Amino acid sequence: MSPKNTIPLEQIDAWRVRVPKGAVPGMRTDGIIHVSSRLLAHVREDNTPVQVANVATLPGIVGSSLAMPDIHWGYGFPIGGVAAFDIEEGIISPGGVGYDINCGVNLMRTDLFLPDVKPIVERVIDTLFDNIPAGVGTGGPIRLSKKEIDKVMVQGARWVVEHGYGWEIDLAHMEGSGYLKGADPDMVSDKARQRGEDQLGTLGSGNHFVEVQVVEEIYDEQIAKVFGLAKNQICVMIHSGSRGFGYRICEDYLAVMQDAVREYGISLPDRQLACAPLESKQGKRYFKAMCAAANYGWANRLVLVHWARKAFSDVFDQKPEQLGMRLIYDVTHNIARMETHLVNGRPRKLCVHRKGATRSLPAGHSDVPEVYRHIGAPVLIPGDMGRASYLLVGAEKAVTETFASTCHGAGRFQSRHAAIRATKGRHIDEELRAERGIIVRARGRHTLAEEYPEAYKNVDEVVETAHQAGLSHKVLRLRPLGAVKG
Amino acid sequence: MLEEYEASGDLGLRVRGSDISAALASAVQGIVSALLSPDTIRGTESRVVEVEGRDTEEAVVNFLNEVLFLIFGSRWLPKHLETIRLRRGCQLSARLVGEPIDFTRHHIEREIKAVTYHNLSISEDQSGVTIDFLCDL
């Protein structure tokens, strides 16, 4: 675990603390962490404020180095970190996106209610478990030729729809229609392609999951109605990313950036922050490859939606359309995007890095899909497999304070090691079933111990902070009925 | 010597050997042990891995990531490191012994996304070389 925080933190208001410029040498701006006083105690327990400060040393940073309420220790950049860079003077960093490029979450509604699913939830979870390939060490059922993988890189979720694994209407319910402009397959290595050729539609391991959830509490009835959701309604949430394809692209370009750092004389406090000027050849190449991985990530999650629809269809003996299995939204939380933001009253084009942070766009924003323009873009916050997840919408204050960003999850509280120690001799699957009625299936022998609920911060606290701080607006809380882990 | 240390949600490994070759042999063992029982791997064939970096740290990270590519990209499991040579402090050439993944015998526990530069440390004293490295899970 990282060492305990030693740098000073200044309280700004109830929801923000400042990491003052000068806290580490070379800081070009302050850091600001959005946390409640209770969550701040977790932040003080590890070294994440130093990571926020380190990001503030990078060239061309605009505004503050930001952290969301679920901040926790990462590689170089903290997880829950947001940083915006000027497109002419700033940098782009693979470490600011993470290895799992376009790791993200989607949420699908159904017309089913708790009484339809509760009595057969074990069968539902087992069928999902059988239908959803983890792809760990092996591939999934979709094999992509060289030509087809190029198309996935460029088209993203559109490829999935054109090949019968998704619905046309799904695209209108995904961030950016499940696609990021700018991908260039020529910027992707043969090794990355090899990793990606049979992993489309696979879940992965670690904290990736498919969960069957029930709407437990509604905070904004009107907006919930727009999503077609009511109390006790059943939803499916999926968390995955761009799989080995994205990991390899990140790794390839971290190596490229080690050279770039020397070439452009960039001084770094941590090699994992390796970066290149956005306008450099290395920066442009990484952005094009990252877009390709982002598109693979959206395609991957939409194929996973297809497998989930198939599983429900098998169990309930009805077509997914008859079960009302419509995608509510799909968000990424690991990405760098070119966006325009008002800075000191002037619109500026920036490259916004979000590593474990979700875009939070309020009603009326031009980047919100048309179907949701009147309510704001949905924000999906998964918690842990034993407590809750949330559906929120974007809020105005995020636009002015966080480059339109909010949290992405609960945030880890215990290390894997500590989680395994804490659960020694326990059977997490049996405990979840007996104490909370939650059915879980995992392929890895240690996954459930490493991912047991208390290894994470309480998502209620994190989401309440995001809501109270005005970074996003709570709509409803979902409780897990069962989960499939990789 | 091989030990796992606290590393948030990920895998931290500390390996030690009489020289860098021995330490890297332990590093390969550490990675494989995190994925499956090494006893299930047979040494039926060998693979050569050659990498270079701008310095020893980069060569080590590149080498360990190539081992991950062998496993997750080429679906081939190393049982042990047969030979490894570090030249000019930044070029590594290794021969690994192992076999292709056979899912009837090999249950891969998890994925490792990559070996990172974060808190990477290679230190040498009179008794040998110690490498600390973090794997993103």
Side-chain angles (χ1 to χ4, degrees), chain A residues 1 259 270 415 446 450, chain B residues 6 54 66 109-110 117-118:
Chain A
M1 188 60 102
D259 270 345
D270 182 337
S415 70
H446 303 299
E450 291 169 4
Chain B
E6 296 279 337
R54 291 138 195 93
E66 285 311 305
E109 173 79 10
R110 60 164 60 86
Y117 287 98
H118 189 68

Side-chain angles (χ1 to χ4, degrees), chain A residues 256-270:
Chain A
V256 169
M257 297 303 178
Q258 303 297 330
D259 270 345
V261 164
R262 286 177 182 83
E263 186 176 336
Y264 301 104
I266 299 169
S267 171
L268 296 176
D270 182 337

